[in-house]
Amino acid sequence: MFRKVWTMVKRVTIRDVAREAGVSIALVSFVMNRDHRRADGSVAYRVSDETVARITEIAERLNYHPNSAASSLRSGRTRTIGVVVSDIANRFFSDIVRYIENVAYSAGYTVLCASTDEQADKLESMLSVLTNKGVDGLIIATCSGGADAVSRVVDSGLPVVLLDRDIAGLDVSRVMLDNVRAGAMGVGKLYANGYRRIELVSYDMGISSIGEREEGYRRAMREVGLQRFARIHRTTYGNVGDSVTRIVSDAVGRGVEAMIFPTNTLSLYALQAVNALGLKIPNDMAMICFDDNEVFDLYNPTIARIGQSVEMLGVRSFELLREKIECADTPSSTYIVEPQFIDGLSSAPRLTDKKHTTK
Amino acid sequence: MFRKVWTMVKRVTIRDVAREAGVSIALVSFVMNRDHRRADGSVAYRVSDETVARITEIAERLNYHPNSAASSLRSGRTRTIGVVVSDIANRFFSDIVRYIENVAYSAGYTVLCASTDEQADKLESMLSVLTNKGVDGLIIATCSGGADAVSRVVDSGLPVVLLDRDIAGLDVSRVMLDNVRAGAMGVGKLYANGYRRIELVSYDMGISSIGEREEGYRRAMREVGLQRFARIHRTTYGNVGDSVTRIVSDAVGRGVEAMIFPTNTLSLYALQAVNALGLKIPNDMAMICFDDNEVFDLYNPTIARIGQSVEMLGVRSFELLREKIECADTPSSTYIVEPQFIDGLSSAPRLTDKKHTTK
DNA sequence: GCAAGTTGCTAAAACGTTTTATAACTTTGT
DNA sequence: ACAAAGTTATAAAACGTTTTAGCAACTTGC
């Protein structure tokens, strides 16, 4: 009869490898973190090639895996970043997170996700959870009222990249859309196709990206001499559905010719409203949406929209973060992605005689 | 002139709190982890209420935050779980992850995400990254060929919950759809509405959920005496778009009456194919899709589909995992979510005379 | 043949917790 | 009054790394 065997196998540590190889644990540590090769002639650690080979072979044979808690404790880094967005189930953000994940993993980082639901107190609590976990840096899409919480994190010295939404006056890197141009682009395309009464549906939240898109809209309307038609409607986050339907219905009733929906979510609610009201697009109302969603190409008619490269947003935000993490005094930089207009029938050239039939 | 001030403020540790309070660090530790209150009369640690108050007050005042690396190192747990799915940008999974995140955070856990792109080698590498990070448990939606890698993790003793896709013979908890019933349900609804030539488009991957949906389809076709019409088409993951279009086109040419698309992704490609081929749904072909997507309700006609509660999938999988983590000898359990049919015009009762006009 | 440099390695001190064993003191029972 | 039991707290040993300081031994330059 054997004594009961301990189910959890004793973890193999750096010490076991060192003993087996007949060297010090320090040497094993150096071999495992390949940074001992004099990268640039600096006073790096030196190990003979044969020792490296021997130790790696033994580590492999013993199935050694470094304990990252111990490593983090001693070194102060976790090789983990936090990504805070408003909702990871929102396609715009899940796409970005996916790209971040890709590049982060291949750079040896893992990513902790957190969603704020656009609530500042959740943002604050997420930031505190993630910083307490000891992330090496954060990519943050802030929310309305989140400036203070983010500032505190930045002040603490943790590398931060602001994604999609800006907070003024912070010494951080940023990756965002040229929102003003994006807003103006919507007006430009519609104007060129003969629409004049162009209105915009927005939120009442204080989010830089939305605000700038509004600004772009206003500016563009002024530039083409349509400021008398410029009108921005506001919905409250959390009750967008009904709100958008009412707004669209009213606007159409008042003779609006085209509407811009400057957000992923707003756009989807807009389509819902269009269906509910039985509107014919673009005859009853033209529309330009934002971001990307499979529905835009499947809908009849296809939906014109202003997109942004989520790949660039994701990849660049990680790269900027990584620079800050791995090289302490990297200056902050800003990466602006340009909006891309993707055409669709929802903003097709206006048939000017359309309403005459009913008049 | 002052000497240059050190930018990174010295971290405040348990030791600082202990010194300030005039107690031992052990006591502070016990107070911070509130598990000393005799939960059930066990020989738990005891601290006087006034000491608790004093220490918490001081901890707060000094702005003490426990170092989780140290805690993990000593205790062996990280209060982090890993979630491995095929693609977090896939709406089905991003929805689930969102629910997991919600409940995990409120239970004091953080979640590390990883996507496999349905590639077994990526799955393996993700599993190894996550286990090396020391996650307390894993929620895994495996992929074709992933059984070995997952088995190894399970054998190592790490708590695992299988999500959406099963691997036979493993002692783990599971959360999945009643796939056989879901597959049969599609046939049932279509049959009831007068469709007979019902075919199914599937993948050539070995994923349990898809296989069982096929099985349900086959079984149901047999039960209603339609096995002569039963036909399963296969697309290869990675080149689904063209493939689906070709399959649908062929099938319609051969007089198919209805098709079932047993996956989120397949369904979207199916709609794309329908648009590309200019089919009239349901007259040219009825269809039933799977899972949920905003496009289903916005499309014209609305799309009937078989959905599953992603909330339950997410919440339950976390709960089952947590039980395993926090109570070592919890027996494995399985949670089956029932498919829900959400009606749409894409499977509306068949107009039997439709083709006679061309005959 | 000897100072100066180079190479390959080691010893040992952290890092900040958790947790066991035990001490000191107070109350209770008899 | 004294043992037993109960209460509150402490000391100290881990946990598994990283990283600094330094030590032999061997080259090299002169």
Side-chain angles (χ1 to χ4, degrees):
Chain A
M1 281 284 189
F2 295 106
R3 307 208 340 264
K4 189 185 174 220
V5 177
W6 192 222
T7 32
M8 200 63 90
V9 183
K10 183 71 172 58
R11 184 170 189 128
V12 24
T13 77
I14 207 176
R15 201 155 257 115
D16 300 319
V17 178
R19 192 184 315 111
E20 182 83 8
V23 299
S24 71
I25 60 166
L27 197 54
V28 178
S29 173
F30 277 111
V31 170
M32 299 316 289
N33 310 291
R34 298 287 157 73
D35 54 6
H36 56 88
R37 286 282 132 220
R38 49 247 117 168
D40 48 276
S42 70
V43 227
Y45 204 84
R46 288 152 310 210
V47 192
S48 75
D49 288 347
E50 58 181 335
T51 311
V52 170
R54 192 158 45 94
I55 289 178
T56 43
E57 187 269 327
I58 289 173
E60 190 134 345
R61 184 154 51 76
L62 298 188
N63 193 28
Y64 167 71
H65 292 284
N67 177 322
S68 47
S71 168
S72 299
L73 174 58
R74 179 57 236 240
S75 70
R77 20 198 154 75
T78 54
R79 296 214 138 247
T80 297
I81 63 165
V83 176
V84 182
V85 297
S86 66
D87 183 3
I88 211 200
N90 176 323
R91 208 184 125 81
F92 174 63
F93 289 117
S94 67
D95 279 355
I96 295 180
V97 168
R98 183 57 165 82
Y99 282 110
I100 293 177
E101 197 197 288
N102 272 357
V103 47
Y105 273 83
S106 56
Y109 286 81
T110 48
V111 358
L112 283 172
C113 299
S115 305
T116 67
D117 284 321
E118 306 286 3
Q119 290 165 230
D121 57 333
K122 277 201 191 175
L123 171 66
E124 180 155 14
S125 110
M126 291 302 181
L127 291 180
S128 116
V129 170
L130 294 180
T131 51
N132 288 342
K133 278 274 167 174
V135 293
D136 290 344
L138 284 167
I139 295 175
I140 306 176
T142 185
C143 63
S144 179
D148 284 358
V150 174
S151 298
R152 270 196 301 278
V153 173
V154 172
D155 289 347
S156 80
L158 194 71
V160 166
V161 170
L162 254 28
L163 170 70
D164 183 57
R165 296 142 177 220
D166 200 8
I167 296 175
L170 253 39
D171 176 25
V172 294
S173 288
R174 299 172 162 85
V175 176
M176 27 202 75
L177 179 67
D178 185 343
N179 286 296
V180 174
R181 192 152 104 77
M185 189 179 249
V187 174
K189 296 293 177 179
L190 288 167
Y191 183 84
N193 281 355
Y195 299 93
R196 295 297 174 265
R197 304 185 67 123
I198 303 167
E199 302 185 355
L200 180 128
V201 178
S202 181
Y203 288 119
D204 62 352
M205 303 189 281
I207 285 181
S208 73
S209 51
I210 316 269
E212 290 165 13
R213 288 170 201 181
E214 291 176 12
E215 175 59 23
Y217 161 80
R218 258 189 250 105
R219 210 180 284 178
M221 288 296 274
R222 209 178 312 126
E223 270 167 21
V224 296
L226 293 177
Q227 63 265 54
R228 68 185 179 289
F229 290 145
R231 178 151 182 186
I232 296 177
H233 305 266
R234 305 206 168 275
T235 62
T236 25
Y237 190 88
N239 178 31
V240 187
D242 298 343
S243 195
V244 168
T245 305
R246 195 163 14 80
I247 288 169
V248 170
S249 165
D250 284 5
V252 170
R254 285 193 347 271
V256 79
E257 292 167 9
M259 294 195 100
I260 300 176
F261 301 92
T263 271
N264 195 14
T265 311
L266 280 173
S267 302
L268 291 177
Y269 281 115
L271 289 180
Q272 205 171 285
V274 164
N275 276 3
L277 299 170
L279 300 180
K280 291 280 160 274
I281 304 294
N283 294 33
D284 293 343
M285 175 186 91
M287 58 194 295
I288 286 188
C289 292
F290 257 72
D291 297 333
D292 210 355
N293 193 300
E294 45 265 289
V295 76
F296 293 158
D297 280 327
L298 294 173
Y299 197 79
N300 185 3
T302 55
I303 303 296
R305 69 274 193 180
I306 293 168
Q308 40 188 325
S309 167
V310 285
E311 175 168 9
M312 282 302 113
L313 290 175
V315 171
R316 294 289 180 232
S317 58
F318 177 76
E319 284 174 350
L320 294 190
L321 183 62
R322 189 187 184 186
E323 284 173 12
K324 284 255 182 184
I325 291 174
E326 295 182 358
C327 181
D329 34 53
T330 310
S332 297
S333 56
T334 296
Y335 182 83
I336 298 293
V337 350
E338 290 305 321
Q340 297 168 286
F341 181 72
I342 300 170
D343 211 352
L345 297 174
S346 70
S347 66
R350 189 176 180 220
L351 306 169
T352 41
D353 52 30
K354 69 157 180 161
K355 295 241 164 168
H356 294 188
T357 56
T358 60
K359 253 187 186 167
Chain B
M1 282 283 188
F2 294 106
R3 309 213 333 269
K4 187 181 175 222
V5 177
W6 193 223
T7 32
M8 200 64 89
V9 183
K10 183 75 172 57
R11 186 170 187 128
V12 23
T13 77
I14 207 175
R15 202 155 257 116
D16 301 319
V17 177
R19 192 183 316 112
E20 181 82 8
V23 298
S24 71
I25 60 166
L27 198 55
V28 177
S29 174
F30 277 111
V31 170
M32 299 317 288
N33 310 291
R34 297 287 158 72
D35 53 7
H36 55 87
R37 287 279 134 222
R38 50 245 117 172
D40 49 274
S42 71
V43 230
Y45 203 87
R46 286 154 311 209
V47 193
S48 74
D49 288 347
E50 58 181 336
T51 311
V52 169
R54 191 158 46 95
I55 290 177
T56 43
E57 187 269 329
I58 288 172
E60 190 134 345
R61 183 154 51 77
L62 298 188
N63 194 28
Y64 166 71
H65 293 283
N67 177 321
S68 47
S71 168
S72 300
L73 173 59
R74 178 58 235 238
S75 70
R77 8 193 164 81
T78 54
R79 295 212 139 249
T80 297
I81 63 165
V83 176
V84 181
V85 298
S86 66
D87 183 3
I88 211 199
N90 177 325
R91 204 183 127 80
F92 175 62
F93 288 117
S94 66
D95 278 356
I96 295 180
V97 168
R98 182 58 163 85
Y99 281 109
I100 293 177
E101 197 198 289
N102 272 357
V103 46
Y105 273 83
S106 55
Y109 286 81
T110 48
V111 359
L112 283 173
C113 298
S115 304
T116 66
D117 284 320
E118 305 286 2
Q119 290 165 231
D121 57 333
K122 277 201 192 177
L123 171 67
E124 180 154 13
S125 108
M126 291 301 180
L127 291 180
S128 116
V129 170
L130 294 179
T131 51
N132 288 342
K133 277 273 166 173
V135 293
D136 290 344
L138 283 167
I139 295 174
I140 305 176
T142 185
C143 63
S144 179
D148 284 358
V150 175
S151 298
R152 270 196 301 278
V153 174
V154 172
D155 290 347
S156 80
L158 194 70
V160 166
V161 170
L162 254 29
L163 170 70
D164 183 57
R165 296 141 178 222
D166 200 9
I167 296 174
L170 253 37
D171 175 26
V172 293
S173 288
R174 297 171 162 87
V175 176
M176 26 201 74
L177 179 67
D178 185 341
N179 286 295
V180 174
R181 192 152 103 78
M185 189 179 251
V187 174
K189 296 293 177 178
L190 288 166
Y191 183 84
N193 281 354
Y195 299 94
R196 294 296 175 267
R197 305 184 68 123
I198 304 166
E199 302 186 354
L200 180 128
V201 178
S202 182
Y203 288 118
D204 62 353
M205 302 189 282
I207 286 182
S208 72
S209 51
I210 316 269
E212 290 166 13
R213 287 170 202 181
E214 291 176 12
E215 174 59 22
Y217 161 81
R218 259 189 249 105
R219 208 180 285 178
M221 288 296 275
R222 208 177 314 126
E223 270 167 21
V224 296
L226 293 177
Q227 63 265 54
R228 68 185 180 288
F229 290 145
R231 177 149 184 186
I232 295 177
H233 306 267
R234 305 204 169 276
T235 61
T236 25
Y237 191 88
N239 178 31
V240 186
D242 299 341
S243 195
V244 169
T245 305
R246 196 163 13 79
I247 289 170
V248 170
S249 164
D250 283 7
V252 169
R254 287 193 347 272
V256 79
E257 292 166 10
M259 295 196 99
I260 300 176
F261 301 92
T263 270
N264 194 14
T265 311
L266 280 173
S267 302
L268 290 176
Y269 281 115
L271 289 180
Q272 205 171 284
V274 164
N275 277 2
L277 299 170
L279 300 179
K280 290 281 160 273
I281 304 294
N283 294 32
D284 293 342
M285 174 186 92
M287 58 194 295
I288 286 187
C289 291
F290 257 72
D291 298 333
D292 210 357
N293 192 300
E294 45 266 289
V295 77
F296 294 159
D297 280 327
L298 294 173
Y299 197 78
N300 184 6
T302 54
I303 303 296
R305 69 273 193 182
I306 293 168
Q308 40 189 326
S309 166
V310 284
E311 175 169 7
M312 281 303 113
L313 291 174
V315 171
R316 293 289 181 233
S317 58
F318 177 75
E319 284 174 351
L320 294 189
L321 184 61
R322 188 186 184 186
E323 284 172 13
K324 284 256 183 182
I325 291 173
E326 296 183 359
C327 181
D329 34 53
T330 311
S332 296
S333 56
T334 295
Y335 183 84
I336 298 291
V337 350
E338 290 305 322
Q340 297 167 287
F341 182 71
I342 299 170
D343 210 351
L345 296 174
S346 71
S347 67
R350 188 176 180 222
L351 305 169
T352 41
D353 51 29
K354 68 158 180 160
K355 295 241 164 167
H356 293 190
T357 57
T358 61
K359 253 189 188 166

